[in-house]
Tab-separated table of all heavy atoms in Angstrom:
chain	number	residue	atom	x	y	z
A	216	ARG	N	-7.147	39.155	-59.546
A	216	ARG	CA	-8.394	39.219	-60.317
A	216	ARG	C	-8.570	38.025	-61.266
A	216	ARG	O	-9.558	37.951	-61.987
A	216	ARG	CB	-8.445	40.522	-61.117
A	216	ARG	CG	-8.530	41.771	-60.233
A	216	ARG	CD	-8.928	43.002	-61.034
A	216	ARG	NE	-7.859	43.449	-61.924
A	216	ARG	CZ	-6.927	44.348	-61.584
A	216	ARG	NH1	-6.940	44.878	-60.365
A	216	ARG	NH2	-6.011	44.716	-62.458
A	217	ILE	N	-7.617	37.103	-61.266
A	217	ILE	CA	-7.751	35.906	-62.109
A	217	ILE	C	-8.942	35.076	-61.619
A	217	ILE	O	-9.083	34.813	-60.426
A	217	ILE	CB	-6.454	35.059	-62.055
A	217	ILE	CG1	-5.290	35.843	-62.680
A	217	ILE	CG2	-6.650	33.734	-62.765
A	217	ILE	CD1	-5.435	36.123	-64.152
A	218	ARG	N	-9.788	34.661	-62.547
A	218	ARG	CA	-11.038	33.988	-62.204
A	218	ARG	C	-10.801	32.550	-61.731
A	218	ARG	O	-10.001	31.815	-62.314
A	218	ARG	CB	-11.957	33.983	-63.433
A	218	ARG	CG	-13.387	33.555	-63.142
A	218	ARG	CD	-14.289	33.804	-64.328
A	218	ARG	NE	-14.078	32.846	-65.401
A	218	ARG	CZ	-13.452	33.108	-66.539
A	218	ARG	NH1	-12.944	34.316	-66.763
A	218	ARG	NH2	-13.311	32.193	-67.486
A	219	VAL	N	-11.495	32.166	-60.665
A	219	VAL	CA	-11.430	30.801	-60.139
A	219	VAL	C	-12.864	30.278	-60.055
A	219	VAL	O	-13.658	30.738	-59.230
A	219	VAL	CB	-10.764	30.747	-58.742
A	219	VAL	CG1	-10.632	29.291	-58.291
A	219	VAL	CG2	-9.401	31.425	-58.761
A	220	GLU	N	-13.191	29.331	-60.932
A	220	GLU	CA	-14.544	28.767	-60.945
A	220	GLU	C	-14.785	27.909	-59.706
A	220	GLU	O	-13.839	27.410	-59.081
A	220	GLU	CB	-14.759	27.926	-62.212
A	220	GLU	CG	-14.622	28.699	-63.511
A	220	GLU	CD	-15.736	29.718	-63.711
A	220	GLU	OE1	-16.726	29.661	-62.945
A	220	GLU	OE2	-15.621	30.557	-64.618
A	221	GLY	N	-16.056	27.723	-59.379
A	221	GLY	CA	-16.421	26.967	-58.188
A	221	GLY	C	-15.863	25.557	-58.165
A	221	GLY	O	-15.412	25.065	-57.121
A	222	GLN	N	-15.880	24.882	-59.326
A	222	GLN	CA	-15.379	23.504	-59.380
A	222	GLN	C	-13.881	23.442	-59.072
A	222	GLN	O	-13.420	22.521	-58.389
A	222	GLN	CB	-15.633	22.919	-60.769
A	222	GLN	CG	-17.072	22.480	-61.013
A	222	GLN	CD	-17.215	21.787	-62.358
A	222	GLN	OE1	-16.588	22.178	-63.347
A	222	GLN	NE2	-18.027	20.742	-62.408
A	223	VAL	N	-13.131	24.419	-59.574
A	223	VAL	CA	-11.692	24.440	-59.333
A	223	VAL	C	-11.406	24.761	-57.870
A	223	VAL	O	-10.514	24.161	-57.251
A	223	VAL	CB	-11.000	25.460	-60.259
A	223	VAL	CG1	-9.499	25.546	-59.961
A	223	VAL	CG2	-11.216	25.087	-61.717
A	224	LEU	N	-12.173	25.677	-57.305
A	224	LEU	CA	-12.006	26.018	-55.901
A	224	LEU	C	-12.324	24.813	-55.011
A	224	LEU	O	-11.605	24.535	-54.039
A	224	LEU	CB	-12.908	27.199	-55.535
A	224	LEU	CG	-12.656	27.852	-54.172
A	224	LEU	CD1	-11.267	28.476	-54.118
A	224	LEU	CD2	-13.716	28.906	-53.880
A	225	ASP	N	-13.392	24.090	-55.357
A	225	ASP	CA	-13.746	22.881	-54.607
A	225	ASP	C	-12.642	21.829	-54.714
A	225	ASP	O	-12.344	21.122	-53.744
A	225	ASP	CB	-15.068	22.301	-55.121
A	225	ASP	CG	-16.255	23.172	-54.752
A	225	ASP	OD1	-16.110	24.015	-53.842
A	225	ASP	OD2	-17.326	23.019	-55.385
A	226	TYR	N	-12.039	21.728	-55.900
A	226	TYR	CA	-10.948	20.765	-56.111
A	226	TYR	C	-9.765	21.099	-55.216
A	226	TYR	O	-9.192	20.215	-54.559
A	226	TYR	CB	-10.544	20.792	-57.588
A	226	TYR	CG	-9.324	19.949	-57.918
A	226	TYR	CD1	-9.316	18.577	-57.704
A	226	TYR	CD2	-8.180	20.537	-58.468
A	226	TYR	CE1	-8.207	17.802	-58.021
A	226	TYR	CE2	-7.072	19.774	-58.788
A	226	TYR	CZ	-7.086	18.409	-58.565
A	226	TYR	OH	-5.994	17.649	-58.872
A	227	LEU	N	-9.397	22.362	-55.156
A	227	LEU	CA	-8.284	22.786	-54.294
A	227	LEU	C	-8.595	22.475	-52.834
A	227	LEU	O	-7.745	21.957	-52.096
A	227	LEU	CB	-8.038	24.283	-54.486
A	227	LEU	CG	-6.787	24.891	-53.845
A	227	LEU	CD1	-6.347	26.138	-54.628
A	227	LEU	CD2	-7.028	25.296	-52.393
A	228	LEU	N	-9.831	22.765	-52.417
A	228	LEU	CA	-10.219	22.517	-51.033
A	228	LEU	C	-10.212	21.019	-50.719
A	228	LEU	O	-9.803	20.608	-49.622
A	228	LEU	CB	-11.601	23.111	-50.761
A	228	LEU	CG	-12.114	23.029	-49.326
A	228	LEU	CD1	-11.149	23.717	-48.369
A	228	LEU	CD2	-13.498	23.653	-49.207
A	229	GLU	N	-10.645	20.188	-51.675
A	229	GLU	CA	-10.632	18.735	-51.475
A	229	GLU	C	-9.202	18.229	-51.281
A	229	GLU	O	-8.941	17.334	-50.462
A	229	GLU	CB	-11.276	18.025	-52.670
A	229	GLU	CG	-12.790	18.132	-52.715
A	229	GLU	CD	-13.462	17.448	-51.537
A	229	GLU	OE1	-12.952	16.403	-51.071
A	229	GLU	OE2	-14.482	17.970	-51.051
A	230	LEU	N	-8.265	18.797	-52.017
A	230	LEU	CA	-6.859	18.409	-51.861
A	230	LEU	C	-6.348	18.773	-50.466
A	230	LEU	O	-5.643	17.983	-49.828
A	230	LEU	CB	-6.009	19.106	-52.931
A	230	LEU	CG	-6.127	18.559	-54.355
A	230	LEU	CD1	-5.445	19.503	-55.345
A	230	LEU	CD2	-5.529	17.162	-54.459
A	231	VAL	N	-6.710	19.964	-50.008
A	231	VAL	CA	-6.284	20.400	-48.677
A	231	VAL	C	-6.869	19.479	-47.609
A	231	VAL	O	-6.153	19.012	-46.700
A	231	VAL	CB	-6.708	21.864	-48.425
A	231	VAL	CG1	-6.475	22.257	-46.968
A	231	VAL	CG2	-5.945	22.809	-49.351
A	232	MET	N	-8.170	19.194	-47.710
A	232	MET	CA	-8.815	18.334	-46.723
A	232	MET	C	-8.248	16.916	-46.774
A	232	MET	O	-8.041	16.275	-45.727
A	232	MET	CB	-10.322	18.301	-46.980
A	232	MET	CG	-11.009	19.662	-46.911
A	232	MET	SD	-10.851	20.456	-45.289
A	232	MET	CE	-11.877	19.381	-44.296
A	233	ALA	N	-7.972	16.418	-47.972
A	233	ALA	CA	-7.430	15.062	-48.112
A	233	ALA	C	-6.039	14.951	-47.499
A	233	ALA	O	-5.672	13.904	-46.960
A	233	ALA	CB	-7.388	14.676	-49.592
A	234	SER	N	-5.261	16.036	-47.557
A	234	SER	CA	-3.923	16.001	-46.962
A	234	SER	C	-3.989	15.806	-45.452
A	234	SER	O	-3.091	15.213	-44.853
A	234	SER	CB	-3.161	17.290	-47.292
A	234	SER	OG	-3.636	18.386	-46.530
A	235	ARG	N	-5.068	16.283	-44.834
A	235	ARG	CA	-5.220	16.144	-43.387
A	235	ARG	C	-5.684	14.745	-42.994
A	235	ARG	O	-5.654	14.381	-41.814
A	235	ARG	CB	-6.212	17.189	-42.871
A	235	ARG	CG	-5.757	18.618	-43.140
A	235	ARG	CD	-6.846	19.632	-42.853
A	235	ARG	NE	-6.468	20.975	-43.307
A	235	ARG	CZ	-7.296	22.008	-43.370
A	235	ARG	NH1	-8.563	21.853	-42.998
A	235	ARG	NH2	-6.877	23.181	-43.806
A	236	GLN	N	-6.149	13.979	-43.978
A	236	GLN	CA	-6.634	12.623	-43.707
A	236	GLN	C	-5.696	11.558	-44.264
A	236	GLN	O	-5.963	10.367	-44.141
A	236	GLN	CB	-8.028	12.450	-44.322
A	236	GLN	CG	-9.054	13.419	-43.753
A	236	GLN	CD	-10.283	13.562	-44.644
A	236	GLN	OE1	-10.391	12.897	-45.664
A	236	GLN	NE2	-11.201	14.436	-44.264
A	237	GLN	N	-4.596	11.977	-44.865
A	237	GLN	CA	-3.633	11.041	-45.456
A	237	GLN	C	-3.017	10.180	-44.352
A	237	GLN	O	-2.478	10.700	-43.368
A	237	GLN	CB	-2.542	11.834	-46.187
A	237	GLN	CG	-1.758	11.036	-47.189
A	237	GLN	CD	-2.357	11.117	-48.582
A	237	GLN	OE1	-3.546	11.326	-48.737
A	237	GLN	NE2	-1.520	10.932	-49.590
A	238	THR	N	-3.087	8.869	-44.508
A	238	THR	CA	-2.643	7.958	-43.447
A	238	THR	C	-1.148	8.075	-43.147
A	238	THR	O	-0.713	7.786	-42.035
A	238	THR	CB	-2.971	6.503	-43.820
A	238	THR	OG1	-2.379	6.202	-45.091
A	238	THR	CG2	-4.478	6.289	-43.914
A	239	GLU	N	-0.354	8.486	-44.135
A	239	GLU	CA	1.102	8.577	-43.929
A	239	GLU	C	1.519	9.860	-43.212
A	239	GLU	O	2.680	10.010	-42.835
A	239	GLU	CB	1.844	8.514	-45.272
A	239	GLU	CG	1.576	7.283	-46.094
A	239	GLU	CD	0.430	7.471	-47.084
A	239	GLU	OE1	-0.374	8.406	-46.893
A	239	GLU	OE2	0.350	6.693	-48.040
A	240	LEU	N	0.551	10.783	-43.030
A	240	LEU	CA	0.903	12.102	-42.507
A	240	LEU	C	0.383	12.322	-41.095
A	240	LEU	O	-0.731	11.917	-40.759
A	240	LEU	CB	0.349	13.202	-43.414
A	240	LEU	CG	0.888	13.248	-44.846
A	240	LEU	CD1	0.152	14.302	-45.659
A	240	LEU	CD2	2.386	13.536	-44.854
A	241	MET	N	1.196	13.010	-40.282
A	241	MET	CA	0.737	13.435	-38.966
A	241	MET	C	0.342	14.914	-38.970
A	241	MET	O	-0.241	15.403	-38.025
A	241	MET	CB	1.823	13.193	-37.908
A	241	MET	CG	3.140	13.886	-38.156
A	241	MET	SD	4.406	13.397	-36.945
A	241	MET	CE	3.703	14.047	-35.431
Side-chain angles (χ1 to χ4, degrees):
R216 294 194 289 269
I217 295 295
R218 191 170 74 254
V219 184
E220 299 292 348
Q222 282 186 322
V223 177
L224 191 64
D225 290 342
Y226 174 61
L227 189 154
L228 184 58
E229 285 296 325
L230 286 169
V231 171
M232 301 299 291
S234 75
R235 299 170 189 169
Q236 299 162 3
Q237 199 92 333
T238 56
E239 302 92 341
L240 297 175
M241 58 186 295

